């Protein structure tokens, strides 16, 4: 429930590595996503959060494993892999992206002046859960996994 008397639910969606798909697959995903957006009779908000990844701990782990490696061929492969990872970091910014979808219900839709407490929560769920299911079903068709955030995840 929101302070203004409305309600919202927050979903987290998985990602697809769009760049690795063929042009036909990319067009199919774009078309399916556009179809989903055009089918909605309610508002949603899409939020993308990008964080720069610090992989220095991963490089340190590679260094430790390299020091323990007794096979010279595997050690050489690990050195090349470590160099590849370091060059990748220098040339490209490595980001972790999280995708969220907020599905709101306005206080007008909930008749805030009339309902209170448990009745208001029950009506909010009655309005918002079918919306959640519709979005989850359509995103699943695209190949995205959708999960609803619980209280602890919302606080983070």
């Amino acid at each position: 429930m929101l302070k203004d008397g409305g309600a919202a639910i927050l979903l987290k969606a998985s990602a697809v590595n769009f760049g690795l798909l063929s042009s036909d697959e990319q067009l199919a995903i774009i078309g399916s996503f556009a179809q989903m957006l055009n089918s909605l009779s309610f508002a949603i908000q899409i939020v993308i959060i990008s964080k720069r990844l610090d992989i220095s701990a991963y490089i340190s782990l590679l260094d430790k494993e390299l020091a323990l490696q007794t096979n010279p061929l595997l050690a050489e492969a690990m050195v090349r892999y470590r160099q590849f990872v370091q060059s990748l970091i220098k040339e490209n910014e490595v980001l972790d992206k999280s995708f969220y979808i907020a599905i709101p219900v306005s206080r007008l839709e909930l008749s805030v002046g009339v309902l209170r407490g448990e009745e208001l929560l029950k009506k909010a769920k009655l309005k918002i859960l079918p919306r959640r299911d519709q979005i989850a079903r359509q995103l699943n068709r695209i190949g995205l996994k959708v999960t609803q955030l619980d209280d602890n995840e919302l606080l983070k």
Side-chain angles (χ1 to χ4, degrees):
M1 298 303 296
L2 303 174
K3 288 181 182 179
D4 71 353
I9 203 167
L10 197 61
L11 306 176
K12 183 173 185 174
S14 64
V16 170
N17 196 333
F18 201 70
L20 295 179
L21 300 175
S22 71
S23 60
D24 288 342
E25 291 171 320
Q26 289 177 352
L27 288 174
I29 287 179
I30 291 170
S32 295
F33 191 72
Q35 184 180 11
M36 181 208 66
L37 291 175
N38 289 328
S39 74
L40 298 178
S41 60
F42 51 89
I44 64 169
Q45 181 180 10
I46 299 172
V47 179
I48 303 170
I49 298 175
S50 298
K51 294 180 188 174
R52 186 174 184 167
L53 285 180
D54 177 19
I55 62 168
S56 58
Y58 182 64
I59 297 292
S60 296
L61 176 68
L62 288 176
D63 289 340
K64 288 177 188 174
E65 292 297 321
L66 180 60
L68 297 174
Q69 187 55 251
T70 57
N71 184 325
L73 292 176
L74 287 176
E76 183 182 331
M78 287 181 72
V79 167
R80 285 196 311 261
Y81 175 70
R82 186 185 183 287
Q83 290 170 345
F84 166 75
V85 170
Q86 280 194 305
S87 68
L88 188 67
I89 296 167
K90 287 179 185 176
E91 295 171 12
N92 302 305
E93 197 172 13
V94 180
L95 299 175
D96 178 35
K97 294 188 180 223
S98 300
F99 301 89
Y100 300 95
I101 301 166
I103 308 168
V105 176
S106 73
R107 66 184 209 151
L108 296 174
E109 290 179 88
L110 297 177
S111 307
V112 169
V114 179
L115 300 174
R116 298 269 182 245
E118 288 299 316
E119 288 181 6
L120 182 61
L121 184 59
K122 187 176 179 180
K123 185 164 184 184
K125 286 182 179 180
L126 192 64
K127 289 267 188 190
I128 210 164
L129 293 180
R131 295 176 181 187
R132 175 202 65 190
D133 295 342
Q134 177 186 352
I135 289 176
R137 191 172 42 254
Q138 291 186 5
L139 290 177
N140 284 332
R141 283 189 354 197
I142 299 172
L144 301 177
K145 182 181 174 193
V146 178
T147 56
Q148 180 180 331
L149 298 184
D150 63 22
D151 292 343
N152 290 332
E153 292 168 320
L154 284 170
L155 290 173
K156 287 180 189 176

